[in-house]
Amino acid sequence: MCGIVGYVGPRKVVPIVLEGLKRLEYRGYDSAGIVYLKDGKLVKYRCEGKLANLEEMMEEVDDGGSRIGLGHTRWATHGPPSEANAHPHSDCSGDLVVVHNGIIENFHTLRESLTAKGHIFTSQTDTEVLAHLIEEHLRDDLAQAVAEAVKEVEGSFALGVMWSRQPDRLIAARSQSPLVLGVKEKGGCFMASDIPALLPYTRQVIFLEDREMAVLKNDSLQVFNLDDGQPVEKEIQTIDWNVGMAEKAGYRHFMLKEIFEQPQAILNTFRGRLDPETGIVRLPEIKLSSEELRGVSRISLVACGTSWHAALVAKYWLEKWVGIPVEVDIASEFRYRRLLLGPDVIVIPISQSGETADTLAGLRLAKDLGAKVISICNVVGSTITRESHGTIYTHAGPEIGVASTKAFTSQLTALFLLTLFLGQVRETIPAEKSRELGKALVELPALIEEELPRLQEEMIPICNEFGRSRDFLYLGRGANFPIALEGALKLKEISYIHAEGYAAGELKHGPIALIDRDMPVLALVPGDGVYKKVISNVQEVKARHGRIILVGSRGDDALAEIADFAIYLPIIHEELNPILYTIPLQLLSYQIANMRGCDVDQPRNLAKSVTVE
Ligand code: M6R
């Protein structure tokens, strides 16, 4: 996730910005940049790669002891990591610069209209439109121009803006992307996208809320409402977190933070692609014409680990709603079997990191055989995205915990969008159904957000009861069968408990022999078409003295009677249950691993990105 740092005050700005950016490195980034004012002009340095490159560059530079500036670490979303795409971005004159976190959804339209007015663009980013849009509104006051410009913007932003003609101030603004301001009694104001950047300098902070803007000067800080321009009284808060706590936004582990970030990650993945009114999906990044899409005879999904589980869910969705045959392969198997692929097949490699060696090898084979390759990936510019014909990016932000959580639910979101899109292009989903499914997805983030704290609490007694178990069985059916696999994988990778996921109907074909009091069985039982079947499977476990945890629909009182523990979830559109039902399983694994004293974020023997075969 990108990082912003800004400072105006009595101290030298360059070391403050570089130190602040260093403290945001944990968020993940792929390029960095800085801007400061010297002799009435803005001076900007940017480079691809690690912050160390920028620091090295700055060692040779005479910054004139500048006291005002901005810095940024970019995690690419529009345009690959490069110097040209790194922030800060300038307007045509070079007198105005912007650093930005978030996504400008209508940047295509804005860019076209600004280009028509004569603005010259030098990057592929969405951010650059902000610099030109503010320039377009600029008369003699920067704050006013920013306020006017952002009214035309759709999407999310945290902004830092600077103009050489008002050299005493920085402008900060936010909408759906965090921004925190820091103050010092003896003068000096800071802005940052996250608290760790401020901690070496001040613990006195002001949190900007959505649709607020601030004017930061050496000796004053004023906050305004972006929409009506009215001043807003803000409370200064004192932060007592240490640096480690601050990086994790107060959460004990990155994994927990990332579990709680899922509503935002899901929202970011569908926002700008799904029309909330009609359910119509636009995915121009696929780069295939409607005619080509209609001519596709088969889809082949290729992935590893958690990403493979996302692929398994997508098979249910695509076959049901698009009526197209789908095959799903573990990438390490795909690459060593005879592949029957050709130009009428779409191969979809799914990878959070975009660097997984087996998935990449599968992609290359598919391309050699003439298939169309559309990847689903979270990391812009990664190898898999570079080698694909098109990429649907998940916008989960960097995932730091090794156990994949928000990347998984974002992959599911992207695959659900793809299902809608193909169903619409191939006319297999009627308009009314599109509306219904689209609406269900739009409602999901808020619903998950509401459930998360309660679910976390509910895991404590379950963890106390079963956290010392040696084995665990997870059962599911239909599109929730892969979620049982994912629940088991999550538990084994972070708590080192042996866990298996099974299609519930397979129980009596072998695993039922394992059932006794020491084998907890968790079953997913939403009120769907296979509900009664799974309940019968669960009864078979109960008859053999198995201990049972059921995850099902709120209001289904039978679950509490059958199970040792029943976890209730709200009733949503059945198709989206795989996303919702993942959440308690992630929380249960987290709770158990934490209780067992395991290294939750960096489990033994595992790597975040598996770049070897
Ligand atoms: O980066 P990828 O999505 O390609 O990674 C695939 C697997 O290595 C990954 O999902 C792994 O299983 C995770 N540790 C799961 O939490």
Side-chain angles (χ1 to χ4, degrees):
M1 205 78 79
C2 306
I4 290 177
V5 181
Y7 173 72
V8 51
R11 297 175 60 174
K12 291 184 184 168
V13 69
V14 171
I16 288 179
V17 167
L18 290 177
E19 179 61 29
L21 292 179
K22 212 182 283 177
R23 286 167 186 265
L24 297 180
E25 278 193 297
Y26 71 92
R27 293 162 66 97
Y29 66 100
D30 37 47
S31 56
I34 188 168
V35 63
Y36 55 85
L37 191 82
K38 186 185 172 195
D39 302 330
K41 297 241 173 292
L42 296 179
V43 184
K44 176 169 103 170
Y45 290 92
R46 304 178 296 176
C47 59
E48 194 185 330
K50 288 292 155 197
L51 199 55
N53 301 345
L54 184 66
E55 287 177 310
E56 204 180 307
M57 204 181 244
M58 296 309 292
E59 275 170 18
E60 309 295 321
V61 166
D62 170 17
D63 61 30
S66 174
R67 263 59 176 171
I68 180 166
L70 294 165
H72 191 266
T73 43
R74 172 175 187 255
W75 193 77
T77 61
H78 294 68
S82 67
E83 188 190 333
N85 287 335
H87 302 209
H89 287 287
S90 306
D91 68 345
C92 297
S93 69
D95 293 336
L96 180 149
V97 282
V98 175
V99 292
H100 163 232
N101 289 359
I103 296 174
I104 307 301
E105 287 166 12
N106 57 339
F107 92 99
H108 271 301
T109 327
L110 289 172
R111 190 171 166 134
E112 274 171 21
S113 81
L114 287 161
T115 305
K117 287 178 185 159
H119 290 262
I120 310 288
F121 284 81
T122 56
S123 80
Q124 296 158 280
T125 64
D126 54 337
T127 298
E128 197 186 348
V129 299
L130 291 169
H132 294 280
L133 193 60
I134 298 168
E135 179 184 23
E136 193 63 28
H137 287 275
L138 197 52
R139 302 291 171 265
D140 52 11
D141 185 56
L142 180 59
Q144 198 179 338
V146 171
E148 284 168 13
V150 297
K151 289 200 174 95
E152 294 181 40
V153 165
E154 288 165 22
S156 57
F157 56 81
L159 292 183
V161 193
M162 213 174 144
W163 186 34
S164 60
R165 312 252 187 97
Q166 280 184 319
D168 61 340
R169 69 197 63 187
L170 298 173
I171 307 299
R174 95 159 248 188
S175 184
Q176 299 173 51
S177 185
L179 201 56
V180 58
L181 311 176
V183 287
K184 270 193 107 59
E185 269 170 30
K186 291 183 183 155
C189 288
F190 303 79
M191 75 169 85
S193 47
D194 215 346
I195 290 168
L198 303 180
L199 290 183
Y201 310 107
T202 183
R203 285 174 186 265
Q204 306 294 105
V205 304
I206 293 170
F207 291 97
L208 268 196
E209 299 299 334
D210 276 345
R211 311 298 302 170
E212 285 181 349
M213 181 180 86
V215 180
L216 289 73
K217 298 185 190 172
N218 171 31
D219 52 3
S220 71
L221 191 157
Q222 291 169 297
V223 178
F224 301 91
N225 181 296
L226 260 177
D227 299 315
D228 61 16
Q230 291 302 307
V232 183
E233 281 299 315
K234 300 291 288 187
E235 194 191 334
I236 296 182
Q237 299 186 30
T238 305
I239 295 294
D240 55 6
W241 297 351
N242 62 36
V243 174
M245 284 162 77
E247 283 180 352
K248 294 170 192 141
Y251 291 98
R252 187 152 180 208
H253 296 99
F254 282 112
M255 180 182 174
L256 188 61
K257 175 171 173 270
E258 287 157 4
I259 290 173
F260 274 77
E261 281 172 349
Q262 288 179 109
Q264 191 65 49
I266 293 167
L267 180 70
N268 285 345
T269 301
F270 71 68
R271 198 159 49 182
R273 290 167 165 162
L274 172 74
D275 183 322
E277 301 301 322
T278 61
I280 298 289
V281 173
R282 287 192 181 80
L283 290 174
E285 54 270 58
I286 282 184
K287 296 180 192 153
L288 293 175
S289 66
S290 302
E291 205 185 346
E292 284 175 299
L293 290 169
R294 281 194 280 267
V296 170
S297 68
R298 192 161 32 106
I299 292 179
S300 168
L301 302 167
V302 186
C304 301
T306 287
S307 299
W308 175 63
H309 297 154
L312 290 171
V313 174
K315 177 180 167 71
Y316 287 89
W317 285 337
L318 287 162
E319 290 188 339
K320 176 170 178 184
W321 293 105
V322 190
I324 195 167
V326 177
E327 51 188 38
V328 180
D329 276 85
I330 293 172
S332 53
E333 293 298 317
F334 183 81
R335 65 184 292 188
Y336 292 116
R337 73 175 172 87
R338 181 174 171 209
L339 298 173
L340 304 175
L341 303 173
D344 58 332
V345 181
I346 298 185
V347 172
I348 306 185
I350 306 173
S351 173
Q352 179 278 133
S353 62
E355 301 295 346
T356 302
D358 285 319
T359 312
L360 182 59
L363 177 160
R364 288 175 177 158
L365 288 170
K367 264 176 91 179
D368 286 349
L369 291 167
K372 301 177 175 76
V373 178
I374 310 297
S375 55
I376 294 190
C377 188
N378 199 40
V379 180
V380 174
S382 56
T383 314
I384 285 177
T385 68
R386 287 200 309 273
E387 297 198 17
S388 300
H389 297 120
T391 299
I392 305 170
Y393 282 109
T394 48
H395 292 301
E399 195 176 62
I400 294 170
V402 165
S404 192
T405 53
K406 63 175 180 171
F408 176 63
T409 46
S410 301
Q411 286 169 344
L412 291 178
T413 306
L415 287 159
F416 191 71
L417 288 178
L418 179 66
T419 305
L420 290 180
F421 177 70
L422 291 177
Q424 288 158 6
V425 173
R426 292 166 66 108
E427 296 174 14
T428 54
I429 304 183
E432 191 42 49
K433 201 37 103 177
S434 280
R435 197 170 299 129
E436 178 188 314
L437 293 168
K439 182 168 173 281
L441 184 58
V442 168
E443 286 169 358
L444 190 60
L447 198 134
I448 294 177
E449 179 122 42
E450 201 179 315
E451 296 295 318
L452 270 163
R454 175 189 65 80
L455 285 170
Q456 191 187 8
E457 283 294 305
E458 277 189 28
M459 295 308 138
I460 297 168
I462 306 177
C463 169
N464 291 340
E465 185 70 19
F466 298 119
R468 295 281 162 212
S469 302
R470 264 191 39 197
D471 310 280
F472 244 93
L473 216 53
Y474 286 72
L475 304 178
R477 256 181 124 134
N480 293 306
F481 158 49
I483 303 309
L485 295 177
E486 173 60 9
L489 177 67
K490 225 64 321 162
L491 186 67
K492 71 181 106 169
E493 66 181 337
I494 62 169
S495 73
Y496 318 138
I497 294 176
H498 167 241
E500 298 295 339
Y502 270 97
E506 271 291 290
L507 193 66
K508 56 171 81 67
H509 299 286
I512 200 164
L514 297 168
I515 304 296
D516 63 15
R517 285 194 59 75
D518 297 325
M519 170 70 90
V521 177
L522 185 151
L524 303 172
V525 280
D528 56 14
V530 285
Y531 170 81
K532 285 191 184 149
K533 307 271 177 205
V534 187
I535 290 291
S536 303
N537 301 138
V538 169
Q539 294 289 10
E540 291 158 11
V541 173
K542 198 171 166 74
R544 286 155 185 85
H545 309 293
R547 317 277 310 283
I548 298 163
I549 306 161
L550 292 180
V551 188
S553 307
R554 190 162 290 153
D556 184 354
D557 297 335
L559 303 187
E561 283 167 31
I562 304 169
D564 295 80
F565 291 92
I567 302 166
Y568 286 108
L569 292 171
I571 299 171
I572 59 166
H573 199 295
E574 180 180 328
E575 294 304 326
L576 293 173
N577 278 335
I579 302 181
L580 180 65
Y581 276 63
T582 299
I583 313 283
L585 307 196
Q586 295 169 338
L587 286 166
L588 181 62
S589 305
Y590 171 79
Q591 192 70 37
I592 292 178
N594 196 19
M595 185 265 260
R596 290 165 71 106
C598 300
D599 187 346
V600 171
D601 285 331
Q602 287 175 326
R604 69 184 181 207
N605 308 336
L606 293 178
K608 186 70 190 158
S609 178
V610 185
T611 52
V612 290
E613 190 176 345

